[in-house]
Amino acid sequence: MGIREREKNKKEIEFLAIKGYIISDSFVSFYKEYGQLYIDIKVKGNDRVIDFNIYTPVSYDYDEVIINDYPKIIGSKNSIPIGNIDGTSYLIIDENKKIYSLYDGSVLIIGENPDNALNNLFSKEWREFQELPIPDWW
């Protein structure tokens, strides 16, 4: 990774910390490897755009929900945005490197780790992902 990439990652990590996110090692390692990756592919005949850009989820003041509510729903200590799918379904990572999709009140498990998640995003339709139940309090 060059100096510009390290500086860019550092600024993005600082940006998230200022917004209140707890920066986990899983996020830092993920973002160093995949940050700013943009993929436009067809999955079983359907277009899918995967954009590992942290600014889309946080640009809609969705931070409080990602910081406070989603960790309770996924059973983790924290969650941090890592990007989006098709500009609407947010991607988050927890402290154990597990990746989830957040869309319109639903939570899908995308993968147990980044490599597994990418493989799933490249090969599975939405209905093939496991959906977590949303608690009554939400």
Side-chain angles (χ1 to χ4, degrees), residues 77-116:
K77 292 178 185 174
N78 65 31
S79 62
I80 303 174
I82 56 172
N84 68 83
I85 304 168
D86 299 332
T88 57
S89 179
Y90 301 146
L91 291 167
I92 61 171
I93 191 168
D94 71 7
E95 70 276 3
N96 299 311
K97 296 186 178 183
K98 198 168 187 178
I99 295 177
Y100 303 86
S101 171
L102 315 175
Y103 179 73
D104 199 24
S106 67
V107 179
L108 302 176
I109 299 173
I110 300 298
E112 297 296 321
N113 59 58
D115 291 335
N116 175 248

Side-chain angles (χ1 to χ4, degrees), residues 3-119:
I3 292 172
R4 286 186 186 186
E5 289 86 7
R6 276 194 299 270
E7 285 300 313
K8 188 171 190 178
N9 284 344
K10 183 179 176 186
K11 287 180 184 178
E12 291 166 343
I13 290 169
E14 288 172 356
F15 170 76
L16 288 172
I18 289 168
K19 290 185 97 29
Y21 290 94
I22 298 168
I23 307 303
S24 63
D25 291 340
S26 66
F27 171 80
V28 173
S29 66
F30 176 88
Y31 216 70
K32 282 182 180 177
E33 186 163 349
Y34 300 105
Q36 301 303 314
L37 181 64
Y38 181 92
I39 304 160
D40 187 353
I41 60 171
K42 282 198 181 293
V43 177
K44 298 186 178 182
N46 295 310
D47 290 328
R48 179 175 291 166
V49 175
I50 304 160
D51 186 7
F52 292 117
N53 173 345
I54 62 165
Y55 295 109
T56 301
V58 298
S59 68
Y60 297 107
D61 291 329
Y62 207 51
D63 302 304
E64 188 174 323
V65 174
I66 294 172
I67 292 169
N68 296 318
D69 293 343
Y70 281 109
K72 294 174 193 170
I73 293 169
I74 63 178
S76 293
K77 292 178 185 174
N78 65 31
S79 62
I80 303 174
I82 56 172
N84 68 83
I85 304 168
D86 299 332
T88 57
S89 179
Y90 301 146
L91 291 167
I92 61 171
I93 191 168
D94 71 7
E95 70 276 3
N96 299 311
K97 296 186 178 183
K98 198 168 187 178
I99 295 177
Y100 303 86
S101 171
L102 315 175
Y103 179 73
D104 199 24
S106 67
V107 179
L108 302 176
I109 299 173
I110 300 298
E112 297 296 321
N113 59 58
D115 291 335
N116 175 248
L118 283 173
N119 184 52

